[in-house]
Amino acid sequence: MIKTVIIQVNPQAPEEAAIEQAARLIQNGDVVAFPTETVYGLGANAFSSNAVDKIFNAKGRPAHDPLIVHIAGIQDLDKVAVKIPDFVFRLGEKFWPGPLTLVLPKTEKIPMNVTASLDTVAVRIPNHPVALALIRASQTPVAAPSANKFSGVSPTSAQHVLQDLKGRIPLILDGGSTTIGVESTVLNCTTWPPQILR
């Protein structure tokens, strides 16, 4: 049984010490729950298959269900995706940061358990100061589904995360309630015209 710690952070200006503590966990291959504008996410280093396994184990999530990779800026898109069409950058400039996830061909650096063995990766930039600060401090893209047991109700507060994942994860960053409360729209950008998947 893991001891689950909750650290309260200012949702608009998260405290550096708390972010650094969470980032160290991610850099060391562990998982952290954190707020986004949609729901709370359960994040791990997107380049580490072992770290990503901890997401699946904590959630009880089946391996055939791919994860969304979160980046801190559009300049980081080529770290996770290849063959990126021009229209994707126009979409990103208009809707990122925000609740839009784009599906693109993945780089070889993204492990197969992130994408459920698909050759595509789902990417977004979250519109939340805590999430962005954590991704930047972790210095890696962060794979993160919702921070709840698989098929449960998506968590919109740290207490929701604690109810589901207490004893399963080491840290929850409590940035208060999320503003949107439903998951992002997912757009497949590997077809023309792009296709809405969710």
Side-chain angles (χ1 to χ4, degrees):
M1 188 79 123
I2 300 167
K3 183 184 179 188
T4 302
V5 175
I6 297 184
I7 300 178
Q8 287 197 311
V9 291
N10 183 324
Q12 297 307 315
E15 292 78 3
E16 194 173 325
I19 294 297
E20 285 181 359
Q21 184 176 340
R24 275 196 302 272
L25 284 169
I26 287 179
Q27 288 170 339
N28 290 333
D30 225 318
V31 293
V32 173
F34 62 95
T36 75
E37 78 281 23
T38 55
V39 298
Y40 271 70
L42 182 61
N45 180 348
F47 292 145
S48 167
S49 59
N50 288 338
V52 168
D53 275 342
K54 292 183 181 179
I55 294 176
F56 285 94
N57 291 337
K59 283 178 62 72
R61 184 183 178 100
H64 61 72
D65 209 357
L67 307 179
I68 292 174
V69 173
H70 296 68
I71 56 175
I74 202 163
Q75 71 277 4
D76 295 329
L77 192 55
D78 62 359
K79 293 178 182 176
V80 298
V82 293
K83 300 177 187 168
I84 305 165
D86 286 343
F87 76 85
V88 165
F89 292 99
R90 294 199 297 274
L91 282 172
E93 284 165 12
K94 185 166 179 61
F95 295 106
W96 280 348
L100 176 65
T101 296
L102 303 179
V103 176
L104 296 159
K106 78 176 191 74
T107 65
E108 290 183 4
K109 289 173 71 176
I110 297 289
M112 295 307 274
N113 60 346
V114 171
T115 65
S117 297
L118 299 171
D119 57 5
T120 54
V121 63
V123 190
R124 87 177 186 101
I125 302 175
N127 189 14
H128 196 293
V130 175
L132 292 172
L134 177 61
I135 297 163
R136 289 190 191 107
S138 300
Q139 299 180 326
T140 181
V142 173
S146 56
N148 57 289
K149 286 182 185 166
F150 183 70
S151 79
V153 177
S154 296
T156 56
S157 73
Q159 285 305 312
H160 293 160
V161 179
L162 188 65
Q163 285 165 17
D164 250 14
L165 300 181
K166 184 178 181 179
R168 291 170 166 261
I169 63 173
L171 182 63
I172 302 169
L173 290 177
D174 182 356
S177 295
T178 62
T179 51
I180 295 178
V182 293
E183 279 92 346
S184 60
T185 298
V186 179
L187 188 67
N188 181 3
C189 296
T190 67
T191 62
W192 187 260
Q195 182 182 11
I196 293 176
L197 303 179
R198 179 175 78 187

